[in-house]
Amino acid sequence: MAKKSTSVSASPPVPPWQNKIVGYGEEPIAAIVANSANWKRHDATAQAALMGTLDDVGILQNLIINRRTHAQWPEAERGQPVLLDGHRRVLVSLKRGQPSWPVTYVDLTPAEEAEALVTLDPLVALATAETEKLAALLHTVQSGDAAVQAMLAQLAEQSGVVPPDFAGDTGG
């Protein structure tokens, strides 16, 4: 008796994502041009929490700058590097007098830049908390900075995790 063939039809290959990173470097803070289409505003509370974290831990993430060399850019904007991600980091660096920051350079079309501007932070915000892991982490964080402590208390409250260290402390 012949066996029936149970071949599985393979799905068509999916092309790999395009790597839009074109380089790395360091830029003087004073030379970085903010993106006029940046839609996020960072109040004094958010700036203070970031500054406290930078004081506690240091620089952990590059700024992202779009080199804008693609032919789709209008002539007046082509080749003019502009900040894509890291506006708050630049703001606090200007206040503190931080001379420079590490940078990831990308080269995006106008449409790609617009999509990146509108999705980078909201994609991160879609993450949900694993409450046990968050509670354990919160128990290990020791910051002497009031703004960082207030931010952590707010995170604990919003995530339904209120470890004893943060009980009743909402930073207010």
Side-chain angles (χ1 to χ4, degrees):
M1 178 189 258
K3 280 188 164 182
K4 277 192 167 179
S5 173
T6 56
S7 66
V8 176
S9 62
S11 353
V14 177
W17 290 303
Q18 288 185 311
N19 183 357
K20 297 295 184 154
I21 299 170
V22 295
Y24 299 94
E26 185 136 339
E27 286 288 331
I29 290 295
I32 295 172
V33 176
N35 196 310
S36 62
N38 181 40
W39 58 277
K40 299 171 298 260
R41 298 294 167 245
H42 305 290
D43 65 13
T45 302
Q47 290 179 44
L50 175 59
M51 197 171 292
T53 301
L54 287 166
D55 288 342
D56 289 348
V57 181
I59 295 173
L60 299 176
Q61 188 174 23
N62 289 1
L63 301 174
I64 300 175
I65 293 180
N66 187 11
R67 287 199 166 148
R68 290 183 166 182
T69 63
H70 197 280
Q72 290 180 16
W73 283 99
E75 190 65 37
E77 297 176 57
R78 191 174 310 141
Q80 301 298 314
V82 69
L83 188 61
L84 181 65
D85 183 57
H87 291 81
R88 181 174 26 169
R89 285 171 272 159
V90 169
L91 262 174
V92 299
S93 294
L94 288 168
K95 287 181 178 187
R96 174 56 78 80
Q98 175 74 20
S100 63
W101 201 282
V103 172
T104 299
Y105 297 103
V106 297
D107 201 8
L108 306 178
T109 66
E112 290 167 338
E113 181 180 286
E115 184 172 341
L117 274 171
V118 80
T119 60
L120 278 172
D121 288 339
L123 283 170
V124 173
L126 292 175
T128 57
E130 289 190 37
T131 55
E132 288 181 18
K133 287 182 180 182
L134 178 57
L137 279 171
L138 288 171
H139 280 295
T140 65
V141 175
Q142 300 296 320
S143 175
D145 187 278
V148 172
Q149 285 299 107
M151 178 190 68
L152 295 175
Q154 182 180 18
L155 173 63
E157 185 179 322
Q158 289 173 346
S159 301
V161 176
V162 184
D165 321 3
F166 292 95
D169 178 10
T170 58

